[in-house]
Amino acid sequence: MRRPTVRTLLPTTTGLLLAASSILLLSGQALAHGGGLRAAAGSLSVPTWLFLLTGGGVVGASFLLASFVTDRAFIRAVHRWRRVASAPLDGVTTLTRLLSVIALAGVVAIGFLGPEEMFRNAAILTVWVGWWAGYVATVYLVGNSWPALNPWRALAEWLPSLDRKYPEEFGAWPSVVGLLVLVWLEVVSPLADDPRLLAWVVVGYSAVTLAGALVFGPESWFGRADPVARLFRYYGAVAPIQRGEDGLAVRPPGAALTDAGLADGRDEVAFVVAILWVTTYDGFVGTPFWADAANWLVGVGLPAVLLYPLAMLAGYGLFLGAYWLASGYSRKTAETYLTPEAIAKRFAPSLLPIAAGYHLAHFLGLFVSLSPALVAALSNPLSPPINPSVVVLPGWFGMLAVAFVLLGHLLAVWVAHASAYDVFPGRLQAVRSQYPFVVVMVLYTMTSLWIVSAPSATPPFV
Amino acid sequence: MSEITPAYDTDVPPDESPVECPYCERPLESAELLVLHEGIEHWERLDDDRREEFRETYQDESDDLRTFRLKMLGLLVVVYFAFLFVYSIYTNDPLSAATLVGFGADALG
């Protein structure tokens, strides 16, 4: 998707109006992937390879530092710490769901009827700025409130259901496919620029979701097959507020990720890896490397229409393969009898803080700078102001993005460390089980930093 | 020290003879690991002798860890100085945090 970058949104002179830059944006000149991160890495004062090596070095060093924490009682105390508050949620939930159904109807209506300019259309701004940038961040920073908001679930529960049995062998695979398809669609279509298209996609997604919930019942559909509900469930596991059987509990961020059973099966591991991959894919197709590779591939006769789906699948296969390979090697380095599958399932949730870190790095700048436009558009959806104001981000904002990426990695290393202590009786064994994962994480960090430090290019053939 | 242990799938190579936890049947790779596993997961069900054995094994393990941590510290120092050295070649002022803050600021300026 050609998301406006922070850099393109920053007027170089204070008098520059957004109208001018939005013309630029719409003409495809300045459309680019990523956000503050790419802007931050755009003009490095050190060579790129050193920038990449430093990122990898920080992750490796954080593993070394985590291995110094060898007191079982301390690790356990940190992760078992929780405060519980019982809150009457059911009454509130009815109200929030009602409001979100109204919001869903509003997004579709404004998408079809509102102004066609992206920065003035309340549907575009609500979905991308309010929901995808802002709301998703609250899910991993505060808690997963999606079950209380999910408008499709609300509608499905008000409607009758055939309650067919959900085929067990499908597992979480429909959600994996759904996530890959949604991100592919976002990359190849002007979903963030064209309100009419966005409205159609929302209608299409609603039809598929409601049909699924109608056939299999809301519980199994949103629990197993729906990619959005699953994405929020996993992002929500990073957050400090967790909903347990005894009410709302406050835990240290990431502590819930060390609980066993969050990713239970190859399908759920595949979904976690897919979250990480789609973040990377979104950035990767905006690099000049991809533009060259895509031109070459089409030059040797690959149909352009297959380009993006093939890249999506090939990269996903590579990520999944690397993760399973690491799990296999972990069995060797830890000298354990646990199967690679048991290891893969236990450590998959530790990848989630990395995804959350990248999300925040990419979207916080977008959210902050476009919030006034969102408010302006919402206050008068059918005829919003011609030139909505934007917040000009200060210079240190790009640094903040790099910090979020690193914080995500540090939390991931710590979560993996704590999980390893939980799984393995030997503490040295626990540390050794992490060697292959650290190698994969360092490589992944360097790949991501390479993507964000590459100059942005317009993805070809879309 | 909970009694509820998540069951992990295990796969023992045919030529090895594992010790098995008498409480949860998890196969373990050595007698020491079994003692540690019992002490961590099944503390309430152990008798005093076995608990004492756990304390000793845990202490032995802590001694091993001390050596291990020293190696890790050595590695960390090597990594730190390697980076310092490389940065001293590529930047004028390697110790300054301005190297890092600099690219953020002038990229957005």
Side-chain angles (χ1 to χ4, degrees), chain A residues 190-438:
Chain A
L191 205 55
D193 310 336
D194 182 353
R196 309 290 183 262
L197 179 70
L198 179 73
W200 276 116
V201 170
V202 172
V203 169
Y205 172 78
S206 305
V208 171
T209 305
L210 291 176
L214 184 75
V215 175
F216 298 113
E219 194 64 42
S220 3
W221 184 261
F222 293 102
R224 314 288 294 278
D226 181 48
V228 178
R230 187 178 287 278
L231 180 70
F232 283 129
R233 198 155 61 243
Y234 286 156
Y235 267 149
V238 182
I241 297 181
Q242 298 291 326
R243 189 169 187 188
E245 282 160 14
D246 46 358
L248 294 178
V250 179
R251 304 178 66 177
L257 297 169
T258 61
D259 297 346
L262 196 62
D264 195 16
R266 284 168 179 267
D267 49 345
E268 301 196 331
V269 171
F271 190 86
V272 173
V273 175
I275 297 177
L276 217 52
W277 162 240
V278 294
T279 315
T280 315
Y281 177 75
D282 193 21
F284 175 69
V285 296
T287 58
F289 174 80
W290 166 250
D292 294 344
N295 281 317
W296 182 79
L297 283 169
V298 171
V300 296
L302 187 81
V305 68
L306 287 178
L307 207 54
Y308 284 83
L310 279 182
M312 171 70 100
L313 290 178
Y316 180 51
L318 196 70
F319 267 48
L320 208 54
Y323 184 71
W324 278 97
L325 197 67
S327 304
Y329 273 109
S330 178
R331 178 179 148 95
K332 291 200 182 76
T333 55
E335 293 176 16
T336 176
Y337 293 144
L338 296 194
T339 58
E341 186 173 344
I343 297 171
K345 288 193 292 197
R346 197 65 181 78
F347 292 106
S350 67
L351 300 174
L352 292 167
I354 301 178
Y358 279 105
H359 183 275
L360 197 60
H362 278 124
F363 291 109
L364 186 68
L366 180 81
F367 177 73
V368 171
S369 57
L370 285 182
S371 293
L374 173 65
V375 173
L378 282 178
S379 59
N380 193 355
L382 287 178
S383 57
I386 300 294
N387 297 317
S389 53
V390 290
V391 174
V392 177
L393 296 173
W396 44 264
F397 213 89
M399 223 34 239
L400 210 57
V402 176
F404 291 142
V405 170
L406 286 177
L407 275 176
H409 278 283
L410 297 188
L411 189 58
V413 167
W414 173 256
V415 166
H417 182 68
S419 299
Y421 266 49
D422 200 45
V423 178
F424 296 108
R427 287 175 287 170
L428 266 175
Q429 189 186 26
V431 174
R432 286 186 180 135
S433 76
Q434 292 307 296
Y435 291 168
F437 290 111
V438 171

Side-chain angles (χ1 to χ4, degrees), chain B residues 30-100:
Chain B
S30 71
E32 288 76 28
L33 288 175
L34 175 65
V35 173
L36 290 170
H37 166 79
E38 284 181 354
I40 293 160
E41 304 289 348
H42 311 289
W43 181 255
E44 276 81 19
R45 297 163 78 166
L46 301 185
D47 57 29
D48 287 346
D49 288 351
R50 201 67 175 159
R51 287 184 182 185
E52 189 50 42
E53 208 176 327
F54 169 73
R55 288 197 190 94
E56 282 169 16
T57 315
Y58 192 83
Q59 192 53 50
D60 289 348
E61 195 195 23
S62 298
D63 295 340
D64 290 346
L65 276 166
R66 193 160 301 136
T67 326
F68 178 77
R69 278 193 289 193
L70 274 177
K71 286 182 196 162
M72 289 286 143
L73 184 64
L75 196 55
L76 207 54
V77 170
V78 169
V79 169
Y80 174 78
F81 279 102
F83 271 108
L84 196 61
F85 178 71
V86 174
Y87 268 89
S88 73
I89 296 172
Y90 285 95
T91 61
N92 298 324
D93 186 10
L95 288 174
S96 165
T99 313
L100 281 172

Side-chain angles (χ1 to χ4, degrees), chain A residues 73-110:
Chain A
F74 172 75
I75 296 171
R76 202 184 285 240
V78 169
H79 287 277
R80 298 246 168 117
W81 185 92
R82 66 203 297 261
R83 293 284 176 276
V84 178
S86 58
L89 291 168
D90 293 346
V92 184
T93 305
T94 313
L95 181 69
T96 51
R97 284 189 170 182
L98 192 66
L99 291 175
S100 69
V101 170
I102 295 171
L104 175 66
V107 164
V108 174
I110 301 299

